[in-house]
Amino acid sequence: MGFLHKFEGTLTRLPEVESPRYSITFKEKLKWTGVILLIYFFLGEIALYGLDPRALDIFANVRAVVAGKFGSIIALGIGPIVTASIILQILVGGKLIDLDLDNPKDQALFQGTQKALAILFTVFEAGVMVLMGALPPANNDPTLRLLLIGQLFLGGILIIYMDEVVSKWGFGSGIGLFIVGGVCAEIFIGAFNPFPATVGELV
């Protein structure tokens, strides 16, 4: 029995979005995809409470790739999900973890492990971003520092479950949807915004 199988009960019982029990129509898939995209844009407008107004986006060049919006609760974007997926794929592909992905039981274990890793990386990345100064608290307040980490964690968890909704009820994956949505929004705003933007500044 592999290492992960010892925690199978816990990993396969993580809260999850229920899979559809019937064939989803094109219209319904379109509806769920649109709803999640609207929620994603809405979350991107929720500013982090307690963030230093002088903070600069030092990761502006990769912002489109991680599909996160600087200064919002979804600043981490899809980073934790992608990191967890890459690491788990390497471990399984390199036979460091014994999982047969053709086996439905092992597939469920794989998905549960990936979600658990994504949650852990959400905590880790939120802590690193705040503690290392990428998202500094106002006046270097330790209470605000913890509050910022908590807000980033909440945003990261919402992104994880929104990705799951799209994967099960919509088109494709949330990862692709958020990247495309973010890029299209930047192009649209850049094309029609009459005011010059200052790169890296939080507005």
Side-chain angles (χ1 to χ4, degrees):
M1 180 179 290
F3 172 76
L4 288 181
H5 289 86
K6 297 179 182 179
F7 304 95
E8 182 175 357
T10 301
L11 293 173
T12 56
R13 289 192 179 94
L14 290 173
E16 64 177 356
V17 175
E18 184 177 0
S19 298
R21 299 180 181 178
Y22 56 90
S23 180
I24 308 177
T25 64
F26 176 88
K27 186 176 180 180
E28 192 168 3
K29 285 188 175 183
L30 188 62
K31 178 190 75 173
W32 281 109
T33 303
V35 167
I36 293 299
L37 188 58
L38 287 175
I39 294 174
Y40 169 76
F41 285 136
F42 174 74
L43 293 175
E45 297 304 315
I46 301 178
L48 287 167
Y49 176 79
L51 181 66
D52 191 329
R54 299 168 297 178
L56 297 176
D57 187 4
I58 61 177
F59 297 107
N61 293 332
V62 297
R63 187 60 58 192
V65 178
V66 298
K69 186 171 181 181
F70 178 71
S72 75
I73 66 171
I74 57 168
L76 298 181
I78 60 172
I81 301 175
V82 173
T83 304
S85 177
I86 291 174
I87 290 178
L88 194 56
Q89 290 283 0
I90 291 173
L91 293 176
V92 173
K95 303 299 181 182
L96 297 175
I97 293 179
D98 184 21
L99 287 178
D100 179 10
L101 297 184
D102 293 326
N103 184 334
K105 192 174 181 180
D106 279 3
Q107 285 180 7
L109 182 56
F110 179 89
Q111 293 171 356
T113 304
Q114 182 171 306
K115 183 182 294 182
L117 282 176
I119 293 172
L120 289 175
F121 277 113
T122 298
V123 177
F124 175 75
E125 291 183 21
V128 169
M129 293 286 281
V130 174
L131 297 177
M132 295 297 136
L135 291 168
N139 302 319
N140 206 27
D141 189 319
T143 301
L144 291 178
R145 186 178 291 116
L146 291 175
L147 188 57
L148 284 173
I149 293 174
Q151 292 174 82
L152 289 170
F153 174 74
L154 176 60
I157 294 298
L158 290 173
I159 289 291
I160 290 171
Y161 282 97
M162 287 163 59
D163 170 61
E164 195 171 342
V165 171
V166 175
S167 299
K168 294 183 177 180
W169 292 86
F171 293 108
S173 71
I175 292 176
L177 177 67
F178 301 147
I179 291 176
V180 172
V183 171
C184 289
E186 289 296 326
I187 293 174
F188 182 83
I189 293 172
F192 294 99
N193 184 9
F195 304 104
T198 303
V199 178
E201 286 193 4
L202 177 61
V203 294

